Amino acid sequence: MDVQIEPSWKAQMQAEFDKPYFTKIVHFIKQEKKSGKVIYPEGINIFNTFSQTPFNEVKVVLLGQDPYHGQGQAHGLCFSVQDGVKPPPSLMNIYKELHDDLGKEIPTSGNLLHWAKQGVFMLNAALTVEANTPMSHSKIGWGQFTDAVIKKISDEKQGIVFLLWGRFAQEKEILIDASKHHILKAAHPSPLSAYNGFFGCKHFSKTNILLTQQSKKNILW
């Protein structure tokens, strides 16, 4: 299948695009749209994290679960929302930890595009969702694709910092070769769990220390 995705990622993932399950994903989404359902993010942004962080530029991997399902929120980067949209509670907790860790002022915008541009690959396990219906596309095959993406990064690269926040993300640890990558784990930043180990994790400073040790440029969070 000829998928419109950033060229370096296309080269890495073409074998997945050619598998029957991926064809089924595409067919499902097309049928849902034909039936009048609203799907987020819009088509141009489904592979946005791949567009913003080419394969050879990935330094950090941040895993999410499901795109935001409200109007104007999702734009293909996990935890990030588009400009002009109020930052959701989990993102506000990320900003609070960032403030406590590095002294950064809490931004008014929830757009994390500047992270992606610096090599933070922000991947949701599912890349689409039906409007106002969380987890609605979690079983259509996206998990197989994004698991393959994680494994490809693990297999082909070295010294990547994986940020696994919450149980769901931590279940992906089995896809990562811990002998050549760095895995930082904490509770999910959701208000339901942030006080159980996300606050105080200092993952932003720890990530930069690990990057410095590899002579890689720090992330300006």
Side-chain angles (χ1 to χ4, degrees):
M1 177 172 286
D2 184 20
V3 175
Q4 300 305 304
I5 192 172
E6 192 277 332
S8 67
W9 280 107
K10 187 168 189 172
Q12 293 291 336
M13 303 308 299
Q14 187 59 55
E16 297 301 311
F17 299 143
D18 290 339
K19 290 179 180 177
Y21 84 87
F22 199 89
T23 303
K24 288 179 181 177
I25 294 173
V26 174
H27 178 73
F28 176 86
I29 292 171
K30 285 180 177 177
Q31 291 302 115
E32 292 290 277
K33 287 183 175 179
K34 272 186 185 176
S35 73
K37 291 181 180 177
V38 176
I39 307 299
Y40 296 133
E42 58 185 83
I44 196 171
N45 282 329
I46 290 174
F47 294 108
N48 196 21
T49 190
F50 299 86
S51 300
Q52 303 302 334
T53 315
F55 186 78
N56 61 325
E57 295 178 18
V58 174
K59 296 192 289 188
V60 180
V61 175
L62 176 58
L63 297 179
Q65 189 166 3
D66 199 40
Y68 294 120
H69 53 85
Q71 185 177 2
Q73 290 181 306
H75 65 132
L77 309 175
C78 71
F79 293 106
S80 179
V81 291
Q82 300 190 59
D83 288 322
V85 176
K86 181 181 177 182
S90 290
L91 181 52
M92 285 305 301
N93 285 338
I94 291 170
Y95 282 163
K96 287 175 186 174
E97 175 58 23
L98 183 55
H99 171 75
D100 292 345
D101 186 8
L102 294 175
K104 290 274 188 180
E105 280 190 33
I106 293 178
T108 54
S109 172
N111 192 330
L112 302 178
L113 185 60
H114 62 292
W115 291 8
K117 294 286 190 184
Q118 298 175 77
V120 182
F121 184 65
M122 291 180 276
L123 180 69
N124 275 316
L127 298 187
T128 56
V129 69
E130 183 184 339
N132 306 314
T133 315
M135 304 301 293
S136 49
H137 289 186
S138 63
K139 305 293 186 187
I140 70 169
W142 280 128
Q144 186 172 344
F145 174 69
T146 53
D147 280 1
V149 170
I150 296 165
K151 193 164 188 315
K152 177 66 73 171
I153 294 170
S154 176
D155 290 349
E156 301 293 332
K157 299 181 78 68
Q158 185 91 22
I160 302 299
V161 182
F162 287 86
L163 302 178
L164 307 184
W165 296 343
R167 188 187 66 188
F168 179 85
Q170 289 162 19
E171 288 173 352
K172 305 296 183 181
E173 186 176 359
I174 60 170
L175 303 169
I176 304 163
D177 184 348
S179 70
K180 63 173 185 166
H181 298 290
H182 306 283
I183 299 172
L184 299 180
K185 294 187 282 188
H188 194 277
S190 159
L192 298 174
S193 56
Y195 286 95
N196 294 329
F198 179 76
F199 289 136
C201 71
K202 298 190 180 298
H203 278 187
F204 303 103
S205 59
K206 287 177 180 177
T207 294
N208 279 345
I209 289 168
L210 291 168
L211 293 176
T212 297
Q213 289 171 350
Q214 302 176 68
S215 300
K216 294 179 181 177
K217 197 172 180 180
N218 283 2
I219 306 298
L220 299 175
W221 298 102

